[in-house]
Amino acid sequence: MKYTIEGFNQEEVLKLGNLDIVDLIILRWIVDFEPNMTKKEIDGETYFWVNYQSLLEALPILNIKKLALYRRLEKMCSVEILKHKNVKDRGNYSYYAFGKEYKKLVSSKIKDASSTIEPNILEDRTLISSTIEQNNSSIKEINLLNNSKEKYKKEIFDDKLFTKFWDAYPRKVSKGNAEKWFTKNKPSEELVNTMVEKISLLKNTEQWKNNNGQYIPYPTTWLNAKGWEDEITESSNLVQEEGCPLKKVGNGAFQL
């Protein structure tokens, strides 16, 4: 029997029950990218946010939908490989942590022709290259993971920058579409700061204030139209509030 599958102890995997190679590929991806994921302290323990869409886009070979992915993650939670917390913060977010059974998959001594390795969770991230037998199937597994890593690095966006934009934008609708825009366009920190400054100005215009913000564009509509490049003129009926001084800078435009 091949000792490791995706870097995990096959014998220990079999003991846990109804897990298959798809589950292990998903777990492998989570382990490799966990250092780059958004973290949150929950009940005194660090959890990480798993972006289902990013995972599925990085591993199209799985050919599964979000619901199927969620069920597989819950299956891993049921055997205590993972732990799951649902966080509600302007939307629902699934945060995970490694469960007590996870260590059994990676902490047993793995023997090869020349050495014995006893990895922990951190060392496990390099386990594929140092322990998987170099047969044809293993090489294919490694190439799949390497390609997935490169695609993930290219497609992931800076979650902190998106959060900064989302917190500033007053109309909280179609968040997923706005996230897709950030994923595709990858705006710089400087550009996001420009957006936030313009949003602060626009919040004081009659157009954005009237009817409880009825005429504020959807976030993605505003992003696609490059709303941060629009000028605010006197015709925009900009309203000055106490504590928010505005200064005319020429050509009928204002700035904070």
Side-chain angles (χ1 to χ4, degrees):
M1 181 173 70
K2 188 172 183 288
Y3 195 89
T4 60
I5 302 293
E6 292 294 336
F8 303 115
N9 186 317
Q10 184 175 190
E11 184 177 358
E12 293 296 331
V13 170
L14 292 174
K15 289 179 182 178
L16 293 175
N18 188 28
L19 297 177
D20 57 28
I21 186 62
V22 174
D23 297 319
L24 297 185
I25 291 174
I26 292 170
L27 183 60
R28 180 77 257 163
W29 186 92
I30 291 173
V31 170
D32 287 343
F33 294 111
E34 178 268 332
N36 299 323
M37 294 179 186
T38 300
K39 305 294 194 305
K40 182 179 285 291
E41 289 292 324
I42 304 175
D43 298 331
E45 188 172 356
T46 301
Y47 282 72
F48 45 86
W49 174 48
V50 175
N51 187 323
Y52 295 163
Q53 187 63 36
S54 294
L55 192 158
L56 293 175
E57 289 178 356
L59 298 173
I61 195 171
L62 299 182
N63 193 28
I64 60 176
K65 304 296 184 182
K66 283 186 179 181
L67 180 59
L69 171 60
Y70 171 79
R71 287 173 176 168
R72 286 183 177 276
L73 292 172
E74 286 302 294
K75 178 171 61 173
M76 284 187 258
C77 290
S78 71
V79 295
E80 299 185 286
I81 294 175
L82 296 174
K83 294 185 287 185
H84 177 220
K85 294 285 187 181
N86 189 55
V87 176
K88 293 185 177 181
D89 182 12
R90 300 188 183 95
N92 291 320
Y93 298 89
S94 289
Y95 280 79
Y96 292 84
F98 295 110
K100 67 179 183 179
E101 295 297 323
Y102 170 76
K103 292 183 179 180
K104 293 181 181 180
L105 303 185
V106 298
S107 63
S108 298
K109 291 184 178 180
I110 300 174
K111 296 181 179 180
D112 60 23
S114 59
S115 64
T116 298
I117 303 172
E118 187 169 5
N120 55 31
I121 290 178
L122 292 176
E123 293 168 339
D124 171 59
R125 293 176 188 129
T126 59
L127 194 59
I128 289 181
S129 60
S130 61
T131 62
I132 293 181
E133 299 170 9
Q134 296 303 303
N135 55 30
N136 289 337
S137 62
S138 294
I139 293 173
K140 290 179 181 178
E141 292 168 0
I142 295 171
N143 288 338
L144 171 63
L145 281 173
N146 287 339
N147 291 338
S148 297
K149 288 179 185 179
E150 291 303 315
K151 184 173 182 180
Y152 181 81
K153 289 177 182 177
K154 291 178 181 179
E155 294 185 353
I156 194 168
F157 66 91
D158 191 325
D159 183 63
K160 291 181 180 179
L161 291 181
F162 174 76
T163 299
K164 186 174 185 178
F165 164 79
W166 189 253
D167 288 345
Y169 203 83
R171 192 166 191 179
K172 310 293 186 188
V173 292
S174 300
K175 184 175 183 179
N177 289 336
E179 286 180 331
K180 289 179 181 178
W181 189 95
F182 267 70
T183 300
K184 178 181 179 180
N185 294 280
K186 303 177 185 65
S188 65
E189 182 175 3
E190 181 181 1
L191 178 54
V192 172
N193 288 337
T194 299
M195 292 179 185
V196 171
E197 289 175 3
K198 181 55 65 72
I199 290 168
S200 296
L201 257 173
L202 288 168
K203 285 179 180 178
N204 292 300
T205 62
E206 287 188 3
Q207 179 183 350
W208 280 36
K209 282 177 171 290
N210 285 345
N211 298 323
N212 294 319
Q214 178 182 352
Y215 301 110
I216 297 174
Y218 276 38
T220 310
T221 301
W222 190 82
L223 290 167
N224 285 331
K226 296 184 178 181
W228 61 90
E229 294 182 354
D230 293 345
E231 287 190 2
I232 299 177
T233 64
E234 292 177 356
S235 61
S236 300
N237 294 321
L238 190 145
V239 179
Q240 182 174 355
E241 293 184 345
E242 184 178 356
C244 184
L246 300 169
K247 180 174 65 176
K248 193 169 183 179
V249 294
N251 296 323
F254 292 81
Q255 69 178 17
L256 288 171

